[in-house]
Amino acid sequence: MEDSRIALPIGTALDRFIKRKQDEFQYASGELSQLLRDIALSGKVVNREINKAGLINIAGPIGTENIQGEEQQKLDVLANIRFTRALTKGGEAAALISEEDEDVTDLNNNGKYVIAIDPLDGSSNIDVNVSIGTIFSVYRRKSPIGTPITKEDVLQKGSEQVAAGYLLYGSSTMLVYTTGHGVNGFTFEASLGEYFLSHPDMCIPKNGKMYSINEGSYNSFPQPVKDYVEHCKSSNLSGRYIGSLVADFHRNLLKGGIYIYPQTASSPNGKLRLMYECNALAFIAEQAGGKASTGIERILDIEPKEYHQRVPLFIGSTNMVEKAESFFKS
Ligand code: AHG
Ligand code: MN
Ligand code: MN
């Protein structure tokens, strides 16, 4: 057995990394490792589909809406199918909830884990060749193995996550994940078909020079958010907003910055979903030394009430999130 305390060098293959890290995990039985491999493999498949968009007829809307009334893109649906299929075959997951599905999908009653997933994030950017992503959270089920999955198995607080991560389909494809022992990033090398450790032990700078928010909605922001945006401008920060949460978050994780999706007139609770987007990124942000809140409350402490619940999100460099929160207090 390799010693898990010795840092693995850049270039280590994902499989080897997962195996070495397995005994850091409280319930090290190999299933979580296999689950992460299943997700990484589906990411390769989705990456391949995305790279073909434009050449074959898989870009554009499919003509249906998801449960939240949002137009579904063909790749949203395709990515949802790919991840669901891989997790069904893998057998480690008992159930899955997805941004694209109305209800829980039961996978394997004997599985120990429950997955929450945004199969394709930033899907309005597919057609224009801009970075998109996949976001996932992993929870341990609460009910006994072999029994039907309950609502309590699925509606767990973010602080209960045992793993979370994202795939970023960008200028290179990356997998970034945490199992609660720091954050590591892997870059996919397509010709070898393998992910390699490229960003070990990722840490977000305490301060950043960038703020990311859709300022087109400025007029309907709550006053504290308007005040914080004015503060960013008078501090000469740069505005950077891709409109793909994964990509905006990833940039801020590397460079330092804050991403905000506040309450607006059209989205009174914010737009982003607690279970599919906010919890996973909040876990990663905290593991990287950053912070995530609604402006008032820590994201990971929110008791979820429903699968598709939305919350405002302030996430990124600790000092920036705290500064934004201070406007809610004053
Ligand atoms: P999704 O494609 O999964 O529905 O998520 C889109 C999200 C997020 O990725 C992005 O930051 C945000 O929506 C952009 O929304 P606006 O266009 O309202 O700024
Ligand atoms: Mn999304
Ligand atoms: Mn999505």
Side-chain angles (χ1 to χ4, degrees):
M1 173 93 65
E2 294 183 63
D3 185 344
S4 67
R5 289 163 305 182
I6 300 170
L8 284 162
I10 286 177
T12 300
L14 176 66
D15 255 8
R16 177 153 183 234
F17 185 92
I18 289 177
K19 200 175 289 162
R20 171 82 81 83
K21 293 286 170 181
Q22 191 167 300
D23 40 330
E24 277 183 2
F25 184 60
Q26 196 184 351
Y27 316 94
S29 56
E31 280 123 324
L32 181 69
S33 300
Q34 190 51 46
L35 194 58
L36 291 169
R37 286 192 197 96
D38 293 343
I39 292 171
L41 176 62
S42 322
K44 291 184 197 177
V45 177
V46 170
N47 179 58
R48 195 186 57 190
E49 317 271 18
I50 288 166
N51 285 335
K52 287 190 292 195
L55 276 177
I56 56 172
N57 188 23
I58 51 171
I62 198 168
T64 54
E65 288 183 347
N66 67 14
I67 174 68
Q68 298 146 80
E70 296 160 342
E71 187 178 59
Q72 286 183 304
Q73 306 292 313
K74 287 176 195 159
L75 275 170
D76 280 327
V77 175
L78 205 63
N80 196 35
I81 292 170
R82 294 287 181 253
F83 282 102
T84 308
R85 203 177 279 167
L87 292 166
T88 310
K89 279 194 189 144
E92 291 81 20
L96 165 142
I97 52 167
S98 162
E99 184 185 280
E100 302 302 332
D101 298 324
E102 182 168 357
D103 216 335
V104 182
T105 304
D106 290 313
L107 301 176
N108 170 19
N109 255 348
N110 292 316
K112 285 186 186 159
Y113 296 99
V114 173
I115 314 291
I117 193 162
D118 176 357
L120 214 55
D121 172 69
S123 48
S124 65
N125 282 322
I126 298 168
D127 292 352
V128 292
N129 215 344
V130 167
S131 299
I132 48 183
T134 296
I135 309 173
F136 62 91
S137 293
V138 182
Y139 299 86
R140 258 180 94 80
R141 68 183 292 174
K142 301 238 179 241
S143 60
I145 288 166
T147 60
I149 279 291
T150 65
K151 231 175 173 175
E152 291 68 51
D153 289 325
V154 181
L155 287 179
Q156 299 192 45
K157 286 195 291 192
S159 56
E160 306 276 332
Q161 290 171 102
V162 294
Y166 59 82
L167 284 134
L168 171 62
Y169 314 103
S171 50
S172 53
T173 292
M174 283 192 71
L175 169 67
V176 174
Y177 80 91
T178 181
T179 55
H181 300 273
V183 182
N184 291 281
F186 300 80
T187 299
F188 181 59
E189 215 290 298
S191 66
L192 297 171
E194 181 58 285
Y195 300 88
F196 295 98
L197 181 63
S198 51
H199 296 67
D201 206 9
M202 297 170 85
C203 290
I204 182 165
K206 291 281 170 229
N207 287 300
K209 291 250 165 266
M210 283 176 259
Y211 72 105
S212 317
I213 188 167
N214 184 345
E215 267 188 83
S217 305
Y218 183 91
N219 288 344
S220 68
F221 290 164
Q223 193 56 44
V225 178
K226 287 183 177 168
D227 292 343
Y228 181 67
V229 169
E230 294 310 320
H231 163 80
C232 290
K233 290 180 177 176
S234 58
S235 312
N236 285 325
L237 301 191
S238 293
R240 291 281 186 280
Y241 191 75
I242 297 168
S244 283
L245 171 62
V246 170
D248 280 309
F249 176 80
H250 182 73
R251 183 203 52 242
N252 292 351
L253 176 60
L254 295 179
K255 304 275 188 197
I258 184 169
Y259 174 98
I260 303 173
Y261 207 111
Q263 304 88 331
T264 64
S266 57
S267 307
N269 298 315
K271 178 184 181 189
L272 301 173
R273 278 122 311 197
L274 175 64
M275 298 302 292
Y276 313 119
E277 293 161 321
C278 303
N279 273 339
L281 298 186
F283 189 22
I284 294 169
E286 289 197 5
Q287 283 294 315
K291 210 168 170 179
S293 83
T294 62
I296 294 164
E297 186 183 6
R298 182 184 177 225
I299 293 288
L300 296 181
D301 285 339
I302 300 173
E303 276 299 347
K305 303 261 184 307
E306 53 193 21
Y307 304 144
H308 298 283
Q309 183 171 341
R310 296 170 193 266
V311 290
L313 179 65
F314 296 69
I315 190 166
S317 294
T318 297
N319 292 348
M320 299 179 86
V321 174
E322 285 178 355
K323 184 72 191 174
E325 286 172 334
S326 72
F327 288 94
F328 281 89
K329 289 177 190 138
S330 60

